[in-house]
Amino acid sequence: MTDVVFIGPSLPTDEVARLLPDAVVLPPVAHGDLLRLDVGPGDRVLVVDGFFLQHPPVRHREILDLLDRGVTVAGAASMGALRAAELWPFGMRGVGEVFQLYRDGVVTGDDEVAVVHGPAEEGHRAMSVPLVNIRIELRRAVAAGVLSDAEAVRLLDIGRDLPFRRRSYRALERSAPPEAAAVLDRFLTWRRRDPGDAKGADARLLLSMAADNAPELRPPHADDQPIDNLHTRFLDSWRSRFAGGSVGGHWVSDREAAAVLMLLHPESPAWHRRGVLAGLAEVDIADPMVEDHAREVARRRGLSAAPPTGWDWLTDSERGLDEHEAVLRVLVRAFGTTPYRSLALWMVAAPLRTPAMLAAARQIAATAASLNETLVPRTTGHRRPGGRLHFRTEVVDTHFARLWGCAVDDLEAAAWDRGFVDLAAFRYAAEPLVAYVKAFGAPRLPAVATRAQEDTLAGSAARIG
């Protein structure tokens, strides 16, 4: 069993190591971090802290994806408490007083757990006090008879009016009107004798429960609400962007591996074509009659390559093709192309998604990244999304037209036939690989095994076993 803990200002990492010695300790969680984890049933992901402003926050579907895979996910104290209060019906476990306040609707604002903190090198040291901590301290003061309910509400309102970046007990004292000074002084004098830290206490509780294998920290089960409609294009896109593997110190996402296979594998256009047509005809990609089945689907649905249906997907030189071939090209391009941001690994034809193919693709992407970092200067000017800009457009086009054996004017059609919706999508995917192509030319990617080869390999394995 693996325990992964996302933590920052709520608790020092050395205290995490003391309470849960074998845990993998990571910085506050952000969007995409959960999708990078190699976890499964039996593993636990414990979320304490998370980013709000510096990075996009962790999305609900990322947590639901882990729950759907049988991973125990629990939260406390800060972002963990917030997400657990939102997702506990689906099996995310919540621990502690902060979680209860959110779950019961007493606290609704995200800002109540937000703090300003230092960088990772300084241990994410907190530089402000979260409002939820002030709220719970005021509740303790009421229980101890130090404040009345009305006085506690008044002081909480003063704290709420402060921007979350400025919240602290000293700022509370400076901001209080003169008529509240005596009440505030009474509260702060009491608190100095008996200070509390609700978020820290909740974080310690979660880690202690994990160390004791508390039954409350269990994976989703039949009593939890089913998770429906989880796998959307959004989740597929996030997984392709963030999931992947490290090669030579470079993180290579599934999307980058997919781009390598689509752009650089010599069999990519043929398998992409077969994959799209097989999907439309709802037959196996290896079916020898896949093109006939696809043409029949087009005929039944009244699709043709004639205007206005299909000419946008045909070049001027292709409009003289026979009707059967023209229809197939229109089908592949109309139903099988995507923007780069929507590119997901599942869109690569299955015969190109073998472990050997993916390992080779990741190695090429990592080598290309290393070349870009060490040998290629960045150009100036407007940057495309993601900040990548090493080669001018004409350089990208020229090298890939040469690689694919086509004229530059025919590049868009060649990109369509590899799954890219337009030249912009192709160039965004191709630009990071130009240095590799310039240095090494076409890579040696594994060939797709034929059905006969697969049968031979399977028979050999059976005899060996």
Side-chain angles (χ1 to χ4, degrees):
M1 178 180 69
T2 299
D3 283 322
V4 180
V5 180
F6 289 93
I7 203 157
S10 291
L11 209 62
T13 54
D14 57 351
E15 193 163 357
V16 178
R18 179 179 63 80
L19 293 169
L20 196 59
D22 296 325
V24 177
V25 182
L26 297 175
V29 69
H31 174 43
D33 289 343
L34 300 186
L35 298 172
R36 294 188 179 98
L37 297 180
D38 183 15
V39 292
D43 297 326
R44 298 184 298 197
V45 175
L46 311 178
V47 180
V48 177
D49 292 306
F51 287 108
F52 286 88
L53 295 179
Q54 302 95 322
H55 306 282
V58 61
R59 306 294 204 262
H60 300 79
R61 283 187 185 274
E62 299 173 65
I63 297 172
L64 292 173
D65 180 52
L66 291 182
L67 296 174
D68 188 59
R69 288 155 48 190
V71 178
T72 298
V73 185
S78 188
M79 176 64 82
L82 179 62
R83 288 293 182 258
E86 294 161 336
L87 296 176
W88 69 265
F90 302 97
M92 183 176 180
R93 311 305 172 197
V95 168
E97 193 168 4
V98 178
F99 160 70
Q100 293 170 9
L101 288 172
Y102 274 107
R103 181 198 60 192
D104 297 341
V106 177
V107 177
T108 57
D110 295 2
D111 70 299
E112 288 227 12
V113 291
V115 296
V116 177
H117 60 81
E121 302 80 54
E122 298 178 5
H124 297 103
R125 180 173 58 88
M127 298 178 179
S128 64
V129 176
L131 184 60
V132 73
N133 271 16
I134 297 174
R135 177 190 291 273
I136 291 173
E137 290 297 271
L138 291 169
R139 290 172 61 142
R140 286 203 310 124
V142 171
V146 176
L147 298 176
S148 68
D149 287 332
E151 289 171 333
V153 169
R154 187 176 187 185
L155 296 184
L156 181 63
D157 287 341
I158 296 172
R160 185 184 288 112
D161 288 340
L162 292 170
F164 82 86
R165 293 181 177 86
R166 290 186 51 226
R167 285 172 183 156
S168 68
Y169 290 105
R170 180 171 295 181
L172 196 68
E173 190 172 21
R174 288 197 300 264
S175 302
E179 59 270 22
V183 173
L184 184 59
D185 182 66
R186 189 190 331 138
F187 166 64
L188 294 177
T189 300
W190 167 82
R191 188 186 175 278
R192 279 190 287 270
R193 294 195 302 266
D194 183 22
D197 175 12
K199 287 177 64 174
D202 285 0
R204 293 184 189 93
L205 175 61
L206 174 62
L207 298 172
S208 298
M209 291 176 66
D212 294 339
N213 291 314
E216 293 85 354
L217 302 185
R218 61 189 185 278
H221 53 72
D223 292 339
D224 296 312
Q225 187 171 321
I227 301 172
D228 297 323
N229 303 315
L230 172 62
H231 296 286
T232 64
R233 180 172 287 271
F234 287 109
L235 184 60
D236 283 334
S237 177
W238 297 339
R239 185 179 287 116
S240 291
R241 176 184 172 190
F242 294 109
S246 181
V247 180
H250 292 277
W251 182 264
V252 179
S253 70
D254 285 350
R255 178 175 295 167
E256 290 166 325
V260 168
L261 293 172
M262 293 168 66
L263 291 165
L264 299 182
H265 200 291
E267 299 178 70
S268 172
W271 283 109
H272 176 71
R273 173 178 169 127
R274 290 189 65 85
V276 174
L277 296 178
L280 291 172
E282 298 182 326
V283 298
D284 189 89
I285 193 172
D287 190 321
M289 303 293 290
V290 64
E291 293 190 355
D292 293 332
H293 295 311
R295 277 195 293 263
E296 177 58 23
V297 170
R299 186 193 64 78
R300 291 201 309 266
R301 298 184 181 179
L303 299 175
S304 73
T309 307
W311 274 27
D312 286 345
W313 291 107
L314 295 174
T315 65
D316 291 341
S317 62
E318 290 174 327
R319 291 174 186 176
L321 290 171
D322 67 82
E323 177 69 13
H324 289 316
E325 176 59 22
V327 165
L328 292 177
R329 293 195 188 188
V330 168
L331 289 176
V332 171
R333 295 167 181 179
F335 294 98
T337 54
T338 185
Y340 180 80
R341 289 188 180 277
S342 298
L343 178 61
L345 194 56
W346 65 266
M347 297 176 185
V348 178
L352 296 179
R353 279 189 277 122
T354 65
M357 292 281 194
L358 289 173
R362 293 190 199 284
Q363 183 61 61
I364 290 169
T367 302
S370 180
L371 289 172
N372 289 334
E373 290 178 1
T374 57
L375 299 179
V376 184
R378 299 190 74 88
T379 63
T380 59
H382 179 68
R383 298 177 186 270
R384 293 193 296 277
R388 299 183 301 189
L389 187 59
H390 295 285
F391 295 96
R392 300 187 311 277
T393 295
E394 54 268 29
V395 175
V396 178
D397 291 357
T398 299
H399 278 81
F400 272 86
R402 184 181 303 128
L403 183 72
W404 292 346
C406 67
V408 171
D409 290 344
D410 294 331
L411 200 59
E412 185 165 41
W416 289 339
D417 292 337
R418 285 165 172 79
F420 297 96
V421 72
D422 53 27
L423 282 173
F426 149 71
R427 288 166 180 153
Y428 187 62
E431 187 264 347
L433 300 172
V434 172
Y436 183 97
V437 172
K438 284 169 66 73
F440 304 111
R444 293 184 178 180
L445 286 160
V448 175
T450 65
R451 180 60 60 89
Q453 289 171 325
E454 292 174 353
D455 292 342
T456 300
L457 291 172
S460 299
R463 287 194 296 274
I464 293 170

